[in-house]
Amino acid sequence: MLGINGPEFLLLLIIGLLVIGPSRLPEYTQKLANIVKEVRRMASGAREQIKEEVGIDIDEVDWKKYDPRQYDPRRIIKEALLEDDTKPVSTGAPAAVSTAAATAVAEHRPARILERLPEGEPAPFDSEAT
């Protein structure tokens, strides 16, 4: 309770009794009891209002489903990489490209020509580039 242990609570209670005094103590205890009753009534009213408007009881809600820790991207990626689910290929799917076909396609591509600037010449500058 607010980081207060037993002896600290007793000390605060004794200080409160000394400050309030024995003459006003019954009045303040009655006020405290009324505040506690009002808070309980408000909490049960809020629970009933949620049940009426949403249609579910708070005790029946699966709070684990709404836990944001379950959406940790590192955990999701790790699980996706570790799971071994080989899905069967459907009959209408295209066949996988073989390595021989891939090398044949690569052989027909033209070679890239790299143009180098002469030594010491600055690279072209485009003033309109962002």
Side-chain angles (χ1 to χ4, degrees):
M1 179 173 89
L2 302 174
I4 300 174
N5 58 19
E8 291 173 347
F9 182 72
L10 288 175
L11 182 63
L12 289 174
L13 187 64
I14 291 171
I15 292 173
L17 290 175
L18 291 174
V19 169
I20 292 173
S23 61
R24 294 185 288 174
L25 186 61
E27 177 186 342
Y28 281 102
T29 54
Q30 183 63 35
K31 286 182 181 180
L32 180 64
N34 289 339
I35 289 172
V36 169
K37 287 178 187 175
E38 185 67 21
V39 167
R40 284 186 181 171
R41 187 189 62 76
M42 288 173 52
S44 66
R47 181 181 293 261
E48 291 299 321
Q49 185 177 1
I50 289 173
K51 188 175 182 179
E52 286 176 11
E53 293 179 4
V54 179
I56 57 172
D57 192 10
I58 292 178
D59 296 330
E60 297 172 0
V61 174
D62 182 18
W63 293 108
K64 289 181 182 179
K65 187 169 46 174
Y66 301 111
D67 186 12
R69 292 175 289 188
Q70 70 178 334
Y71 301 112
D72 181 24
R74 294 172 292 195
R75 184 187 57 79
I76 293 170
I77 291 171
K78 184 171 79 174
E79 287 177 359
L81 291 174
L82 292 179
E83 68 184 26
D84 184 28
D85 58 342
T86 54
K87 298 177 183 173
V89 179
S90 64
T91 57
V97 177
S98 67
T99 56
T103 55
V105 170
E107 289 175 358
H108 294 314
R109 286 190 197 148
R112 284 184 47 185
I113 301 172
L114 297 176
E115 295 182 26
R116 301 232 181 239
L117 294 174
E119 192 70 31
E121 183 178 335
F125 179 73
D126 187 4
S127 62
E128 295 179 6
T130 56

